[in-house]
Amino acid sequence: MPRLDGILADTTPLRVSPPFRRLWWGLGVSNLGSQLTVVAVGLQVYALTGSTLAVGVLGVFALVPLVALGLYGGALVDAYDRRKVALLASWALWVVTGLLALQAWLDVGSVGVLYGLVALQSAAFAINNPARSAIIPRLVEPRLLPAANALQTISWSIALTVGPLLGAFLVALWGYGIAYSIDVVLFAAALWAVWRLPSIPPVLSPEDTLSELDRAPHRGTFDDVAGDEAGEPAAPRRKVVGISSVVDGLRYLATRPNVRTTFLVDLAAMILAFPRVLLPAVGVLFIGGGETTTGVLSAAFAVGAVLAGVFSGALSRVRWQGLVIAWAITAWGLSIAAFGGVLLLVGSTNPPQVLVGGLIAACIALALAGASDAVSAVFRQTILQTATPDDMRGRLQGVFIVVVAGGPRLGEVVLGAQASWFGEAWAAVAGGLACIVVVWLILRTQPRFLKYDALHPEP
């Protein structure tokens, strides 16, 4: 089926790399559980407070530790065995998830406790995610990275599709404790996948190599420095990780305009037009259906991303990746504005039953947004992985996770505040249009980005 082979997702990375295959399956299963928790926390805060702004404040408690530890976590990834870093951070995430389940079963009913646990969860995530992302380029060859990233997008998007629906369903029928407890069980898949990875020690940069040779003048070759007496490779010694290591990564990023632009345009899209904080209120005030509608709308976003991933065969052949990112984010902004337009049409009437027409239209708009974001994410990750040397990859992945996870959290605060001032509908319309304007203003200052050539990657 040559036609389908060219359209459907390229599964070559799963066939040729068993470690990547295990990691893909393990993270896919655990991501499903994580989405149960994301939905349950938002619904629990809204149930305790009745405030969209209070749900948005979750973003503040997630953002601060994410920024504080995301950059430092990336430095740890560059300095130590990536498997060990990912494993320790995964254990920490598992423990925090267990505490979320415990507070639900004990019916603590404290928004402050939820904010604190979300902060701890975000701190562990800030170290775990850069480690996992920096591992992938060591498991598959460079030409397969777009396909590997598309496969990652598919598994993540499936979790985003099923997770919110299942999470809302579980909360509606049995309460928050069940949702958090299932996440505890499913997260074991991620622990297993990371445990099975081979050792992935850091790679010496040229400066580190010279430093090692200076400290060992009696040895004449790099092999002597990096290997043991039997000639087997050993993890190279690294400098103590500190603020200077983080600063080195930021200085490096300052000299790489194309990589830096991928961060800036994504920040604009997420801060100005990320709609998740609006969904609980939409399910009550606009479309009806409460928690179930919140889950359906969240799943619609993910369905679009899944479809974009499943039919991503052509993405591995895209040459002008910067240009595709620009238009994908433009489509994202238009889709979010269209979602707000749907809310304006149905009105804030607190309907007693689900408005089916409004629900379908809102789902279509969010599905288009999800597809656009998935395409953008594949190429933003690919540019980072291919245009960054391995010894800097962890630190830039740390910046990446601060942007990718921190941007939406900050966006929840921004849109949550706008919704309290102007209403959820106008917040979505204004956010989507503002996203488009700001992105193209950024690109006007970075014309090289639109000419980024995958055949000749320039950071």
Side-chain angles (χ1 to χ4, degrees), residues 197-226:
L197 286 172
S199 177
I200 305 178
V203 172
L204 285 175
S205 67
E207 292 80 5
D208 292 327
T209 302
L210 291 175
S211 178
E212 289 287 352
L213 289 172
D214 289 340
R215 287 196 298 269
H218 61 286
R219 296 180 176 181
T221 66
F222 174 71
D223 289 337
D224 290 328
V225 176

PDB file of all heavy atoms in Angstrom, residues 197-226:
ATOM      1  N   LEU A 197      15.490   0.995  30.324  1.00  0.00           N
ATOM      2  CA  LEU A 197      16.400   1.690  29.420  1.00  0.00           C
ATOM      3  C   LEU A 197      17.848   1.305  29.706  1.00  0.00           C
ATOM      4  O   LEU A 197      18.206   0.993  30.844  1.00  0.00           O
ATOM      5  CB  LEU A 197      16.255   3.205  29.583  1.00  0.00           C
ATOM      6  CG  LEU A 197      15.014   3.878  29.002  1.00  0.00           C
ATOM      7  CD1 LEU A 197      14.972   5.335  29.434  1.00  0.00           C
ATOM      8  CD2 LEU A 197      14.990   3.770  27.481  1.00  0.00           C
ATOM      9  N   PRO A 198      18.693   1.353  28.678  1.00  0.00           N
ATOM     10  CA  PRO A 198      20.130   1.172  28.936  1.00  0.00           C
ATOM     11  C   PRO A 198      20.692   2.410  29.615  1.00  0.00           C
ATOM     12  O   PRO A 198      20.071   3.471  29.641  1.00  0.00           O
ATOM     13  CB  PRO A 198      20.712   1.009  27.523  1.00  0.00           C
ATOM     14  CG  PRO A 198      19.769   1.778  26.648  1.00  0.00           C
ATOM     15  CD  PRO A 198      18.401   1.573  27.248  1.00  0.00           C
ATOM     16  N   SER A 199      21.882   2.276  30.168  1.00  0.00           N
ATOM     17  CA  SER A 199      22.563   3.429  30.741  1.00  0.00           C
ATOM     18  C   SER A 199      22.819   4.455  29.643  1.00  0.00           C
ATOM     19  O   SER A 199      23.249   4.116  28.538  1.00  0.00           O
ATOM     20  CB  SER A 199      23.876   3.000  31.372  1.00  0.00           C
ATOM     21  OG  SER A 199      24.580   4.114  31.870  1.00  0.00           O
ATOM     22  N   ILE A 200      22.542   5.739  29.929  1.00  0.00           N
ATOM     23  CA  ILE A 200      22.739   6.793  28.938  1.00  0.00           C
ATOM     24  C   ILE A 200      23.577   7.891  29.580  1.00  0.00           C
ATOM     25  O   ILE A 200      23.071   8.924  30.021  1.00  0.00           O
ATOM     26  CB  ILE A 200      21.384   7.347  28.440  1.00  0.00           C
ATOM     27  CG1 ILE A 200      20.521   6.205  27.906  1.00  0.00           C
ATOM     28  CG2 ILE A 200      21.588   8.390  27.346  1.00  0.00           C
ATOM     29  CD1 ILE A 200      19.150   6.629  27.438  1.00  0.00           C
ATOM     30  N   PRO A 201      24.900   7.677  29.666  1.00  0.00           N
ATOM     31  CA  PRO A 201      25.780   8.669  30.306  1.00  0.00           C
ATOM     32  C   PRO A 201      25.913   9.913  29.451  1.00  0.00           C
ATOM     33  O   PRO A 201      25.635   9.887  28.244  1.00  0.00           O
ATOM     34  CB  PRO A 201      27.105   7.922  30.423  1.00  0.00           C
ATOM     35  CG  PRO A 201      27.084   6.946  29.291  1.00  0.00           C
ATOM     36  CD  PRO A 201      25.646   6.516  29.172  1.00  0.00           C
ATOM     37  N   PRO A 202      26.334  11.022  30.045  1.00  0.00           N
ATOM     38  CA  PRO A 202      26.506  12.259  29.269  1.00  0.00           C
ATOM     39  C   PRO A 202      27.654  12.137  28.286  1.00  0.00           C
ATOM     40  O   PRO A 202      28.568  11.330  28.465  1.00  0.00           O
ATOM     41  CB  PRO A 202      26.799  13.309  30.344  1.00  0.00           C
ATOM     42  CG  PRO A 202      27.373  12.534  31.482  1.00  0.00           C
ATOM     43  CD  PRO A 202      26.668  11.203  31.463  1.00  0.00           C
ATOM     44  N   VAL A 203      27.586  12.940  27.236  1.00  0.00           N
ATOM     45  CA  VAL A 203      28.641  12.991  26.234  1.00  0.00           C
ATOM     46  C   VAL A 203      29.503  14.210  26.517  1.00  0.00           C
ATOM     47  O   VAL A 203      28.999  15.301  26.757  1.00  0.00           O
ATOM     48  CB  VAL A 203      28.053  13.089  24.808  1.00  0.00           C
ATOM     49  CG1 VAL A 203      29.143  13.330  23.783  1.00  0.00           C
ATOM     50  CG2 VAL A 203      27.279  11.820  24.482  1.00  0.00           C
ATOM     51  N   LEU A 204      30.807  14.025  26.503  1.00  0.00           N
ATOM     52  CA  LEU A 204      31.717  15.138  26.766  1.00  0.00           C
ATOM     53  C   LEU A 204      31.682  16.149  25.622  1.00  0.00           C
ATOM     54  O   LEU A 204      31.728  15.786  24.451  1.00  0.00           O
ATOM     55  CB  LEU A 204      33.142  14.629  26.933  1.00  0.00           C
ATOM     56  CG  LEU A 204      33.486  13.922  28.250  1.00  0.00           C
ATOM     57  CD1 LEU A 204      34.899  13.395  28.168  1.00  0.00           C
ATOM     58  CD2 LEU A 204      33.328  14.852  29.420  1.00  0.00           C
ATOM     59  N   SER A 205      31.594  17.416  25.974  1.00  0.00           N
ATOM     60  CA  SER A 205      31.799  18.470  24.981  1.00  0.00           C
ATOM     61  C   SER A 205      33.298  18.616  24.730  1.00  0.00           C
ATOM     62  O   SER A 205      34.117  18.129  25.509  1.00  0.00           O
ATOM     63  CB  SER A 205      31.236  19.792  25.501  1.00  0.00           C
ATOM     64  OG  SER A 205      32.006  20.239  26.602  1.00  0.00           O
ATOM     65  N   PRO A 206      33.708  19.296  23.649  1.00  0.00           N
ATOM     66  CA  PRO A 206      35.144  19.482  23.413  1.00  0.00           C
ATOM     67  C   PRO A 206      35.840  20.155  24.594  1.00  0.00           C
ATOM     68  O   PRO A 206      36.962  19.814  24.943  1.00  0.00           O
ATOM     69  CB  PRO A 206      35.172  20.368  22.155  1.00  0.00           C
ATOM     70  CG  PRO A 206      33.887  20.052  21.453  1.00  0.00           C
ATOM     71  CD  PRO A 206      32.896  19.796  22.539  1.00  0.00           C
ATOM     72  N   GLU A 207      35.175  21.136  25.235  1.00  0.00           N
ATOM     73  CA  GLU A 207      35.796  21.815  26.368  1.00  0.00           C
ATOM     74  C   GLU A 207      36.005  20.852  27.528  1.00  0.00           C
ATOM     75  O   GLU A 207      37.028  20.868  28.201  1.00  0.00           O
ATOM     76  CB  GLU A 207      34.913  22.985  26.816  1.00  0.00           C
ATOM     77  CG  GLU A 207      34.833  24.119  25.799  1.00  0.00           C
ATOM     78  CD  GLU A 207      33.849  23.824  24.679  1.00  0.00           C
ATOM     79  OE1 GLU A 207      33.161  22.781  24.753  1.00  0.00           O
ATOM     80  OE2 GLU A 207      33.794  24.615  23.732  1.00  0.00           O
ATOM     81  N   ASP A 208      35.015  19.989  27.769  1.00  0.00           N
ATOM     82  CA  ASP A 208      35.146  19.005  28.842  1.00  0.00           C
ATOM     83  C   ASP A 208      36.263  18.019  28.560  1.00  0.00           C
ATOM     84  O   ASP A 208      36.990  17.602  29.442  1.00  0.00           O
ATOM     85  CB  ASP A 208      33.831  18.241  29.030  1.00  0.00           C
ATOM     86  CG  ASP A 208      32.726  19.114  29.584  1.00  0.00           C
ATOM     87  OD1 ASP A 208      33.044  20.017  30.369  1.00  0.00           O
ATOM     88  OD2 ASP A 208      31.569  18.887  29.206  1.00  0.00           O
ATOM     89  N   THR A 209      36.397  17.635  27.277  1.00  0.00           N
ATOM     90  CA  THR A 209      37.436  16.689  26.894  1.00  0.00           C
ATOM     91  C   THR A 209      38.819  17.249  27.206  1.00  0.00           C
ATOM     92  O   THR A 209      39.679  16.593  27.786  1.00  0.00           O
ATOM     93  CB  THR A 209      37.333  16.362  25.395  1.00  0.00           C
ATOM     94  OG1 THR A 209      36.033  15.843  25.132  1.00  0.00           O
ATOM     95  CG2 THR A 209      38.380  15.353  24.993  1.00  0.00           C
ATOM     96  N   LEU A 210      39.039  18.521  26.831  1.00  0.00           N
ATOM     97  CA  LEU A 210      40.319  19.148  27.101  1.00  0.00           C
ATOM     98  C   LEU A 210      40.567  19.256  28.596  1.00  0.00           C
ATOM     99  O   LEU A 210      41.678  19.052  29.073  1.00  0.00           O
ATOM    100  CB  LEU A 210      40.354  20.542  26.456  1.00  0.00           C
ATOM    101  CG  LEU A 210      40.382  20.557  24.923  1.00  0.00           C
ATOM    102  CD1 LEU A 210      40.284  21.993  24.417  1.00  0.00           C
ATOM    103  CD2 LEU A 210      41.654  19.898  24.408  1.00  0.00           C
ATOM    104  N   SER A 211      39.495  19.570  29.342  1.00  0.00           N
ATOM    105  CA  SER A 211      39.640  19.681  30.792  1.00  0.00           C
ATOM    106  C   SER A 211      40.039  18.351  31.403  1.00  0.00           C
ATOM    107  O   SER A 211      40.886  18.292  32.292  1.00  0.00           O
ATOM    108  CB  SER A 211      38.326  20.184  31.403  1.00  0.00           C
ATOM    109  OG  SER A 211      38.429  20.256  32.802  1.00  0.00           O
ATOM    110  N   GLU A 212      39.443  17.264  30.937  1.00  0.00           N
ATOM    111  CA  GLU A 212      39.780  15.940  31.461  1.00  0.00           C
ATOM    112  C   GLU A 212      41.231  15.593  31.144  1.00  0.00           C
ATOM    113  O   GLU A 212      41.944  15.035  31.968  1.00  0.00           O
ATOM    114  CB  GLU A 212      38.839  14.882  30.856  1.00  0.00           C
ATOM    115  CG  GLU A 212      37.404  14.956  31.363  1.00  0.00           C
ATOM    116  CD  GLU A 212      37.289  14.443  32.790  1.00  0.00           C
ATOM    117  OE1 GLU A 212      38.278  13.910  33.311  1.00  0.00           O
ATOM    118  OE2 GLU A 212      36.210  14.598  33.375  1.00  0.00           O
ATOM    119  N   LEU A 213      41.679  15.914  29.942  1.00  0.00           N
ATOM    120  CA  LEU A 213      43.050  15.602  29.557  1.00  0.00           C
ATOM    121  C   LEU A 213      44.049  16.405  30.382  1.00  0.00           C
ATOM    122  O   LEU A 213      45.116  15.919  30.750  1.00  0.00           O
ATOM    123  CB  LEU A 213      43.235  15.881  28.065  1.00  0.00           C
ATOM    124  CG  LEU A 213      42.528  14.896  27.126  1.00  0.00           C
ATOM    125  CD1 LEU A 213      42.620  15.391  25.686  1.00  0.00           C
ATOM    126  CD2 LEU A 213      43.113  13.497  27.245  1.00  0.00           C
ATOM    127  N   ASP A 214      43.671  17.675  30.692  1.00  0.00           N
ATOM    128  CA  ASP A 214      44.549  18.493  31.516  1.00  0.00           C
ATOM    129  C   ASP A 214      44.700  17.915  32.918  1.00  0.00           C
ATOM    130  O   ASP A 214      45.744  18.024  33.538  1.00  0.00           O
ATOM    131  CB  ASP A 214      43.993  19.925  31.628  1.00  0.00           C
ATOM    132  CG  ASP A 214      44.131  20.674  30.309  1.00  0.00           C
ATOM    133  OD1 ASP A 214      44.960  20.252  29.486  1.00  0.00           O
ATOM    134  OD2 ASP A 214      43.399  21.674  30.119  1.00  0.00           O
ATOM    135  N   ARG A 215      43.612  17.293  33.420  1.00  0.00           N
ATOM    136  CA  ARG A 215      43.669  16.742  34.764  1.00  0.00           C
ATOM    137  C   ARG A 215      44.334  15.377  34.803  1.00  0.00           C
ATOM    138  O   ARG A 215      44.602  14.839  35.860  1.00  0.00           O
ATOM    139  CB  ARG A 215      42.244  16.633  35.345  1.00  0.00           C
ATOM    140  CG  ARG A 215      41.652  17.964  35.723  1.00  0.00           C
ATOM    141  CD  ARG A 215      40.446  17.774  36.646  1.00  0.00           C
ATOM    142  NE  ARG A 215      39.384  17.043  36.011  1.00  0.00           N
ATOM    143  CZ  ARG A 215      38.391  17.619  35.327  1.00  0.00           C
ATOM    144  NH1 ARG A 215      38.385  18.930  35.181  1.00  0.00           N
ATOM    145  NH2 ARG A 215      37.416  16.893  34.795  1.00  0.00           N
ATOM    146  N   ALA A 216      44.562  14.784  33.604  1.00  0.00           N
ATOM    147  CA  ALA A 216      45.179  13.461  33.560  1.00  0.00           C
ATOM    148  C   ALA A 216      46.308  13.449  32.540  1.00  0.00           C
ATOM    149  O   ALA A 216      46.241  12.760  31.547  1.00  0.00           O
ATOM    150  CB  ALA A 216      44.125  12.410  33.213  1.00  0.00           C
ATOM    151  N   PRO A 217      47.396  14.232  32.778  1.00  0.00           N
ATOM    152  CA  PRO A 217      48.456  14.356  31.774  1.00  0.00           C
ATOM    153  C   PRO A 217      49.206  13.063  31.515  1.00  0.00           C
ATOM    154  O   PRO A 217      49.842  12.914  30.489  1.00  0.00           O
ATOM    155  CB  PRO A 217      49.386  15.422  32.391  1.00  0.00           C
ATOM    156  CG  PRO A 217      49.114  15.339  33.868  1.00  0.00           C
ATOM    157  CD  PRO A 217      47.677  14.996  33.991  1.00  0.00           C
ATOM    158  N   HIS A 218      49.112  12.101  32.438  1.00  0.00           N
ATOM    159  CA  HIS A 218      49.835  10.853  32.239  1.00  0.00           C
ATOM    160  C   HIS A 218      49.122   9.961  31.243  1.00  0.00           C
ATOM    161  O   HIS A 218      49.657   8.920  30.874  1.00  0.00           O
ATOM    162  CB  HIS A 218      49.995  10.121  33.571  1.00  0.00           C
ATOM    163  CG  HIS A 218      48.689   9.750  34.206  1.00  0.00           C
ATOM    164  ND1 HIS A 218      47.867  10.685  34.808  1.00  0.00           N
ATOM    165  CD2 HIS A 218      48.059   8.538  34.307  1.00  0.00           C
ATOM    166  CE1 HIS A 218      46.787  10.074  35.281  1.00  0.00           C
ATOM    167  NE2 HIS A 218      46.876   8.785  34.992  1.00  0.00           N
ATOM    168  N   ARG A 219      47.924  10.347  30.825  1.00  0.00           N
ATOM    169  CA  ARG A 219      47.189   9.554  29.843  1.00  0.00           C
ATOM    170  C   ARG A 219      47.201  10.305  28.531  1.00  0.00           C
ATOM    171  O   ARG A 219      46.967  11.502  28.478  1.00  0.00           O
ATOM    172  CB  ARG A 219      45.758   9.321  30.306  1.00  0.00           C
ATOM    173  CG  ARG A 219      45.681   8.477  31.586  1.00  0.00           C
ATOM    174  CD  ARG A 219      44.237   8.283  31.998  1.00  0.00           C
ATOM    175  NE  ARG A 219      44.141   7.409  33.157  1.00  0.00           N
ATOM    176  CZ  ARG A 219      42.988   7.057  33.721  1.00  0.00           C
ATOM    177  NH1 ARG A 219      41.854   7.500  33.215  1.00  0.00           N
ATOM    178  NH2 ARG A 219      42.976   6.266  34.765  1.00  0.00           N
ATOM    179  N   GLY A 220      47.383   9.579  27.485  1.00  0.00           N
ATOM    180  CA  GLY A 220      47.620  10.252  26.219  1.00  0.00           C
ATOM    181  C   GLY A 220      46.428  10.381  25.301  1.00  0.00           C
ATOM    182  O   GLY A 220      46.512  11.111  24.333  1.00  0.00           O
ATOM    183  N   THR A 221      45.334   9.693  25.531  1.00  0.00           N
ATOM    184  CA  THR A 221      44.212   9.734  24.591  1.00  0.00           C
ATOM    185  C   THR A 221      42.908   9.918  25.346  1.00  0.00           C
ATOM    186  O   THR A 221      42.807   9.676  26.544  1.00  0.00           O
ATOM    187  CB  THR A 221      44.111   8.421  23.778  1.00  0.00           C
ATOM    188  OG1 THR A 221      43.774   7.360  24.675  1.00  0.00           O
ATOM    189  CG2 THR A 221      45.430   8.099  23.086  1.00  0.00           C
ATOM    190  N   PHE A 222      41.885  10.342  24.584  1.00  0.00           N
ATOM    191  CA  PHE A 222      40.547  10.477  25.163  1.00  0.00           C
ATOM    192  C   PHE A 222      40.026   9.123  25.619  1.00  0.00           C
ATOM    193  O   PHE A 222      39.313   9.032  26.616  1.00  0.00           O
ATOM    194  CB  PHE A 222      39.592  11.093  24.139  1.00  0.00           C
ATOM    195  CG  PHE A 222      38.181  11.128  24.612  1.00  0.00           C
ATOM    196  CD1 PHE A 222      37.806  12.008  25.612  1.00  0.00           C
ATOM    197  CD2 PHE A 222      37.228  10.277  24.088  1.00  0.00           C
ATOM    198  CE1 PHE A 222      36.511  12.045  26.066  1.00  0.00           C
ATOM    199  CE2 PHE A 222      35.927  10.303  24.549  1.00  0.00           C
ATOM    200  CZ  PHE A 222      35.570  11.196  25.531  1.00  0.00           C
ATOM    201  N   ASP A 223      40.376   8.054  24.910  1.00  0.00           N
ATOM    202  CA  ASP A 223      39.938   6.723  25.319  1.00  0.00           C
ATOM    203  C   ASP A 223      40.420   6.398  26.721  1.00  0.00           C
ATOM    204  O   ASP A 223      39.724   5.756  27.502  1.00  0.00           O
ATOM    205  CB  ASP A 223      40.443   5.653  24.345  1.00  0.00           C
ATOM    206  CG  ASP A 223      39.731   5.736  23.009  1.00  0.00           C
ATOM    207  OD1 ASP A 223      38.610   6.275  22.986  1.00  0.00           O
ATOM    208  OD2 ASP A 223      40.311   5.264  22.017  1.00  0.00           O
ATOM    209  N   ASP A 224      41.659   6.851  27.052  1.00  0.00           N
ATOM    210  CA  ASP A 224      42.173   6.601  28.387  1.00  0.00           C
ATOM    211  C   ASP A 224      41.340   7.330  29.431  1.00  0.00           C
ATOM    212  O   ASP A 224      41.137   6.853  30.535  1.00  0.00           O
ATOM    213  CB  ASP A 224      43.634   7.078  28.495  1.00  0.00           C
ATOM    214  CG  ASP A 224      44.563   6.212  27.687  1.00  0.00           C
ATOM    215  OD1 ASP A 224      44.287   5.010  27.573  1.00  0.00           O
ATOM    216  OD2 ASP A 224      45.552   6.750  27.164  1.00  0.00           O
ATOM    217  N   VAL A 225      40.882   8.546  29.075  1.00  0.00           N
ATOM    218  CA  VAL A 225      40.126   9.342  30.024  1.00  0.00           C
ATOM    219  C   VAL A 225      38.719   8.793  30.183  1.00  0.00           C
ATOM    220  O   VAL A 225      38.200   8.688  31.280  1.00  0.00           O
ATOM    221  CB  VAL A 225      40.068  10.813  29.548  1.00  0.00           C
ATOM    222  CG1 VAL A 225      39.205  11.634  30.489  1.00  0.00           C
ATOM    223  CG2 VAL A 225      41.463  11.394  29.458  1.00  0.00           C
ATOM    224  N   ALA A 226      38.083   8.421  29.082  1.00  0.00           N
ATOM    225  CA  ALA A 226      36.672   8.027  29.128  1.00  0.00           C
ATOM    226  C   ALA A 226      36.488   6.558  29.447  1.00  0.00           C
ATOM    227  O   ALA A 226      35.397   6.142  29.780  1.00  0.00           O
ATOM    228  CB  ALA A 226      36.010   8.336  27.784  1.00  0.00           C
TER     229      ALA A 226
END
